Amino acid sequence: MKNIITTLLFISVCNIAMGGGPWPQPKGKAYIKLSEWWTIFDQHYTDTGQIDPNLTTGIFNTSIYAEYGVTDRFTTVINAPIFSRSYMNNQRSGTTEEIIIQGEAINSIGDIDIGLKYGLTRPGANIPVSVTLTLGLPTGETSGGELGSLQTGDGEFNQYLKIDAGKSFQLGKASSYISIYGGINNRTQDFSEEFRTGGEVGIGLLNSKFWLTGKLDIVQSFNNGATAENANSTSIFANNSEFVAIGLEANLYVTRRVGISAGFANAVSGSIIAAAPSYSVGVFYDMSR
Amino acid sequence: MKNLLLYTAIITLLSSCIGDDFIDDRVDPVLRITDEIQSLEVNTMYQFNFAYFNNIGAEESVNPSWSSSDSSIIIIDDNGLATAIALGEAIITAEYVDEEGNIIEDIVSIIVDTSTVIEVEESKSGVIATTTFYDLSGTFTIDSNDDDIIINVADDYEASTGLPGLYLYLSNNRNSIANAREIGKVEVFNGAHTYTVADAGLNDYSFLVYFCKPFNVKVGDGEIQ
């Protein structure tokens, strides 16, 4: 369950469509987004990729995501789940309706990611390429609830290095872009390292006031972390989560710089990962326009 | 914009409340005569004992009615106290009518002879099988050892190591760990191993239940036979 949540948090970060990509912010410009991301799931992908039921679990993150261009090639990035709520339903007897397992919830901040993006190519390059180092700080709750199975963070300090490349182009009269990324996530606390890759395509409609973005994210575990067999502590549950997720996000600029967004993502295959869609809504401020 | 944020906040708050999941934990009630007496010495008395497990497998205190198929051989009172009167064989029945009007009964055949013979069953066995897509299989035996029982899981046992927080229970309901006895966290995922359960009898439970605590779901079970 912990890794499910950890991986879901990664999906939530991935779901920030209008930020990210290989394009650093121009010097002195910023992109800020306040968003609500959530998922409620009552089934999950097992370690063999099949779908099994679980007690209904919900995770809600209220996050601030921000990018700031320190120079035209250096951009600082932060993703801070300032309020994170995780809960599990009561399990009741279908015969007597008595509670068998008491539901519970925790509220805290989540794991905060801070990062630095560097543009390997000059601003305006035909195919911009950037590298980003993201540090995942274990600021969330790692074992809440009576059973210790509720969490808003994974308790490990990870270092995620990725490279992004992309290209913007015109599709008819519409501005469009495509980008891909790949990276390695080095994790501590006996969690397996991960290879992450994916990409997104976006098209700007209504004179680039309305952007539609499709996303693909893939996580493959190196399977070099702890398992239930060799973990010494009950605080380490599953490891080695993997998934292939697709997502769609819409962003509408309601003023020149302020906009609203809505999106969803869903793992179409996976291992030790929730088998349910996640949703997000947000409001953003884009100084680069 | 303010309205959108307000609606989002309301929806989020409402949907993030703890709700209820219901599991189908209904089982057939069981009345179990727990004595393992084969023969009763003529002109002696014997107190029969029983256990009743209701429709969720919880042990419940009830007052069954007792009867003998042949009162010329054995008579039995309302409390299960039997008296052997003459040589022969009779069937003792314990019967209880539950809240839904179902008749739940158990019977034992008793021979009235020149001596009382009690043959205590010393071992039971079963097959562990997954009820999910996680690997879990094997066989087991349960041996009685004074006031304890010893669960011997055999060499052919195998469980997925990808499964977090797997626990083993003894239960009278294969679908629920309510009223079950937790044996402990599963730490062996391949091959033979044993669990010693103190103050438990061979006939106290009907199932081994493997349960994943983090997911709060049953993973597999094995009927004790």
Side-chain angles (χ1 to χ4, degrees), chain A residues 229-262:
Chain A
E229 188 172 25
N230 55 27
N232 294 322
S233 166
T234 54
S235 67
I236 297 175
F237 296 140
N239 205 340
N240 308 318
S241 292
E242 297 180 340
F243 68 86
V244 175
I246 56 172
L248 186 67
E249 183 165 326
N251 288 265
L252 175 66
Y253 285 84
V254 294
T255 71
R256 187 164 69 94
R257 290 180 168 175
V258 175
I260 55 175
S261 69

Side-chain angles (χ1 to χ4, degrees), chain A residues 3-4 44 49 58 76 85 87-88 120 138 142 176 187 190 229 285:
Chain A
N3 241 39
I4 284 179
H44 66 279
T76 55
R85 174 177 172 81
Y87 78 90
M88 284 184 177
L120 296 175
T142 57
S176 306
R187 311 178 74 193
D190 283 334
E229 188 172 25
Y285 180 70

Side-chain angles (χ1 to χ4, degrees), chain B residues 187-208:
Chain B
E187 294 177 341
V188 179
F189 294 81
N190 192 293
H193 56 288
T194 62
Y195 300 93
T196 299
V197 184
D199 299 323
L202 209 53
N203 297 312
D204 291 351
Y205 299 97
S206 301
F207 301 97
L208 291 183

Side-chain angles (χ1 to χ4, degrees), chain B residues 105-153:
Chain B
E105 65 175 22
D106 194 16
I107 60 172
V108 290
S109 180
I110 303 295
I111 297 169
V112 176
D113 210 338
T114 54
S115 63
T116 296
V117 176
I118 298 174
E119 290 184 2
V120 177
E121 192 176 19
E122 293 183 344
S123 183
K124 288 193 169 187
S125 62
V127 177
I128 300 165
T130 184
T131 54
T132 63
F133 286 110
Y134 290 99
D135 291 337
L136 178 65
S137 61
T139 56
F140 68 91
T141 59
I142 301 181
D143 298 327
S144 179
N145 182 24
D146 296 329
D147 292 335
D148 306 337
I149 57 173
I150 299 171
I151 303 169
N152 302 291
V153 181

Side-chain angles (χ1 to χ4, degrees), chain A residues 215-229:
Chain A
K215 294 177 64 67
L216 170 70
D217 294 297
I218 299 170
V219 170
Q220 289 288 311
S221 172
F222 288 171
N223 293 304
N224 58 350
T227 66
E229 188 172 25

